[in-house]
Amino acid sequence: MLILNLQPSHSVMVTQKTVLSVSKGDTVTMDCNLGTVTDSAALWYKQIPGGVPQYVLYFYYSYSSPRYGSGFSSPKFTSTHQSTSDYRLIINNVEEGDSAVYYYSTDFINKF
């Protein structure tokens, strides 16, 4: 689970291992390691506390670009891969509305 917590004057991104300070307008990256699951896609979600999860994007390493959920698009959100099990979510030009919990899951059966 990855938490991006933005405040008007400053912001903090919290992961299980790292805390990064970011400011409005920055680019934030969040990494996803699927471990022993290979040849799989990464699905990224955004959840505002008290709200329901929103599907951000789906990315499979052989795709040229991600598949986006409703209301999400490039260049604000994008994804890259480092291997068949390592993915990265990138949020460009971070703003207060990006404050949320971000998390990922995998889909190794269906490739959208």
Side-chain angles (χ1 to χ4, degrees):
M1 183 182 342
L2 303 158
I3 302 170
L4 180 62
N5 183 10
L6 297 171
Q7 303 298 325
S9 60
H10 68 283
S11 57
V12 176
M13 184 182 74
V14 181
T15 69
Q16 291 177 335
K17 297 180 181 177
T18 307
V19 177
L20 299 174
S21 295
V22 298
S23 301
K24 287 174 64 174
D26 282 355
T27 295
V28 176
T29 62
M30 303 180 197
D31 291 327
C32 158
N33 180 286
L34 302 177
T36 59
V37 179
T38 59
D39 195 32
S40 300
L43 291 86
W44 289 92
Y45 298 89
K46 172 184 179 180
Q47 186 170 17
I48 296 170
V52 297
Q54 298 173 283
Y55 161 60
V56 177
L57 63 81
Y58 176 103
F59 190 53
Y60 183 56
Y61 67 88
S62 67
Y63 291 171
S64 58
S65 62
R67 298 348 188 212
Y68 291 95
S70 179
F72 299 95
S73 62
S74 178
K76 176 71 174 182
F77 294 89
T78 192
S79 185
T80 61
H81 68 90
Q82 292 72 48
S83 71
T84 59
S85 60
D86 288 291
Y87 292 87
R88 177 171 288 162
L89 176 67
I90 303 165
I91 307 175
N92 293 300
N93 194 23
V94 171
E95 52 195 348
E96 292 169 36
D98 298 321
S99 179
V101 175
Y102 291 84
Y103 61 96
Y104 61 86
S105 66
T106 186
D107 176 7
F108 57 92
I109 299 173
N110 298 309
K111 305 296 184 287
F112 291 163

